[in-house]
Amino acid sequence: MTLMISRMAARPFKLLSHLSSMHAPTPLLARQISMDAKGFASRLVSAGLLRNQGLIGGKWSDAYDGNTIKVHNPATGDVITTVPCMGLNETNDAISAAYNAFSSWSKVTAAERSKCLRKWYDLLISHKEELGQLITLEQGKPLQEAMGEVTYGAGFIEFFAEEAKRVYGDIIPSPLADRRMLVLKQPVGVVGAITPWNFPLAMITRKVGPALACGCTVVIKPSELTPLTALAAAELAVQAGIPPGVVNVVMGNASAIGDALLASPQVRKITFTGSTAVGKKLMAGAAGTVKKISLELGGNAPCIVFDDADLDVAVKGTLGAKFRNTGQTCVCANRIIVQEGIYEKFVDAFSKAVQKLQVGHGFSEGVVQGPLINEAAVQKVESFVKDATSKGAKVVLGAKRHSLGMTFYEPTVLSDVKSDMLIAREEVFGPVAPVLRFKTEDEALRMANDTNAGLAAYIFTNNVQRSWRVAEAEYGLVGVNEGLISTEVAPFGGVKQSGLGREGSKYGMDEYLEVKYVCLGNMSSN
Ligand code: SIN
């Protein structure tokens, strides 16, 4: 293991830059990998981290009707294990458990909550290797990147353990002499946290960390594709002494679980990371009981490279922004918009860098690009590429399934992409880099903003004034000369249809707090 894992988000960079050749494992090596995956699974069992039941009120539980769903390793198609296929009844019980636990957890001192979270963080870090293996096993990302996710994910718990002690209120100077006016911040209540498969740990900790720090309790619904990391994290929460009912995990029938969370008046907040389409449904569903809601939805990130950019910085930054997690993040560069003076040079240097990305099973040394999550994801990528090439885009590299089979797809570069192609309109969520061309800064800004999404944007330029001007585009996060910008200490979230609210940083606490005004009257002395 040669990569230093930094505190910034699951960083593929050093890996991306030190590779020298594409490398397809031989069938023998492929068999070896599947045996290794079995070895990793048995090590996880002995560490007590391969949990395959839900957690309700501190008790590990099967689905009440005994139904299960299979969890697959996307790299091999092997079934890792099964987990309960839960629905309405289990979710209602988890909500009741969280509701009952709220009355005590919200009254525990901030210092105590902070200690519990710190203990959880310590356990996550001390099991970094096993958790990384679990992420690779069920999600497919390369082990180094998976361990980077553990560092990133655990970072939210550490950060919010500290923030728990800083939930300050206010005193407002009263306009009337006999009154005193206070502002208190109080936990929202029970939180329903619905999380995606692309970051099986970090998207949970980014929500649960601040929720618990504020005194809320949670019902987590992880993705059915990657529930095992969530369950391992919940096991470590139990070991950290977080009381029963404070953290609950249910999984299985997504719509039944979602409906139960939305319908319950006891659930006061929904937090969701995932597709814009599902986010809109949740937002509409939350209206029935007027819940607070935060949504981290899809992006369509522009990555703008100006003629005055440092070519090496732009190539390295774009590589990280595009190919992190094999292109499966909401902040992945989706449109690489390059100025005409540097266009050919950029496409040439960028393609050479992309060609060096080693594709393979996440447990193989040197691999930086894993499989896509499932067959539907590959078919989506294929249809976007087909649409682009049928309308005139040129294939510079890739544009086909990888010879490894399964859901592996070749890192791809397309040039001469136009704004009206599907790949420039919607998130491809795969390892395809479409490169578009522009002439002027105004045109680049128009192209960048010509979308309903507004999550991340990237700019590569050496002109300070330009970087300020362009950073004001309609996006929630902007990387200037940097392609990897996610961290627990900074606010993460989108504008327009990319979502509501912010996660991470001190701003992430506000999402789980109600602001209360208390007026003390009759304060004149006798
Ligand atoms: C996401 O893809 O939703 C999260 C990416 C990140 O945290 O950087």
Side-chain angles (χ1 to χ4, degrees), residues 9 152 198-199 203 206 273 296 324 328-331 486 492:
Y152 177 44
N198 61 343
F199 289 86
M203 295 305 102
R206 189 151 85 179
T273 296
E296 198 263 273
R324 176 177 171 222
Q328 301 173 108
T329 88
C330 299
V331 291
S486 305
F492 187 106

Side-chain angles (χ1 to χ4, degrees), residues 68-73 78-85 224-225 227:
T68 58
I69 41 176
K70 292 176 180 152
V71 184
H72 291 96
N73 174 348
D78 292 345
V79 175
I80 305 166
T81 184
T82 59
V83 292
C85 184
E224 287 65 49
L225 300 172

